[in-house]
Amino acid sequence: MDEIGGRTATLVRGTQRRHLRVARKSGPRCFQLVRHYDHSGVSGTGIVAEGVEWSDGTVALRWGGQYPTTTVWQDGIDALLAVHGHNGATTIRWLDE
């Protein structure tokens, strides 16, 4: 049931299901997104987000601050760094290694 509209949700016929593609056997890995230089003056420097890279390569990223937000990156760490890496000004610090 749709919580907003109160309607019953339906699955469109022909929709393909995504299956978990296990990329490695070790399971999820935790990390911090560390900003070394803040080009925009918005995020500041230091740890600006925390995340998990799931075993299929998908990344969940949790931003802190006044308006905490969670984003999901289906294309993984490379896609996340292409947008938020700022040419090396922001890096990943793996916590599980």
Side-chain angles (χ1 to χ4, degrees):
M1 179 112 16
D2 180 331
E3 291 185 24
I4 295 173
R7 300 177 305 266
T8 302
T10 57
L11 178 65
V12 177
R13 290 186 186 265
T15 301
Q16 294 183 6
R17 292 184 180 188
R18 270 182 86 153
H19 293 282
L20 180 64
R21 184 188 81 241
V22 177
R24 49 180 195 282
K25 295 179 181 179
S26 62
R29 298 192 302 165
C30 296
F31 67 89
Q32 295 171 327
L33 192 64
V34 181
R35 181 135 311 141
H36 304 285
Y37 178 76
D38 184 10
H39 293 282
S40 67
V42 175
S43 302
T45 58
I47 300 167
V48 293
E50 301 172 318
V52 176
E53 180 187 41
W54 301 101
S55 56
D56 69 348
T58 301
V59 171
L61 187 69
R62 180 70 176 171
W63 293 94
Q66 185 177 0
Y67 303 103
T69 305
T70 302
T71 57
V72 176
W73 296 82
Q74 297 288 349
D75 295 322
I77 290 288
D78 290 339
L80 181 147
L81 287 175
V83 173
H84 295 295
H86 301 289
N87 296 317
T90 304
T91 58
I92 300 290
R93 178 186 302 152
W94 295 104
L95 301 177
D96 302 336
E97 296 179 350

